[in-house]
Amino acid sequence: RGRIDACDYSLDQLLLGTMLFTLLVFLFPTTFVYYLFFFLLNFTVSVFQTAIRLIVSILNHFPLFSVLLRLLDPSHLPGGARLELL
């Protein structure tokens, strides 16, 4: 049973198959790496922007002036009323 498959292709079919195979083998990885690179670049920039927005939001909502004033010079903050006898 030593059968051999014989496929007789014309020159046009062989040339077309070779060109399509070459495009598939060499062009697909190139475009895949291209899209992967720019996806990762876009993802990194988006994460960085989100982190910056989160930091700015935290700083905008945190009472930094009041906390620093309380720590550095508490006499400027109202602390209640004092009654003294004369």
Side-chain angles (χ1 to χ4, degrees), residues 41-55:
L41 185 68
N42 188 14
F43 181 72
T44 305
V45 168
S46 297
V47 167
F48 188 67
Q49 284 180 343
T50 304
I52 288 176
R53 286 181 183 157
L54 181 66
I55 291 169

Side-chain angles (χ1 to χ4, degrees), residues 82-86:
R82 253 189 217 169
L83 299 175
E84 294 181 3
L85 292 174
L86 296 175

Side-chain angles (χ1 to χ4, degrees), residues 53-64:
R53 286 181 183 157
L54 181 66
I55 291 169
V56 167
S57 176
I58 288 171
L59 287 176
N60 280 336
H61 291 86
F62 186 73
L64 187 63

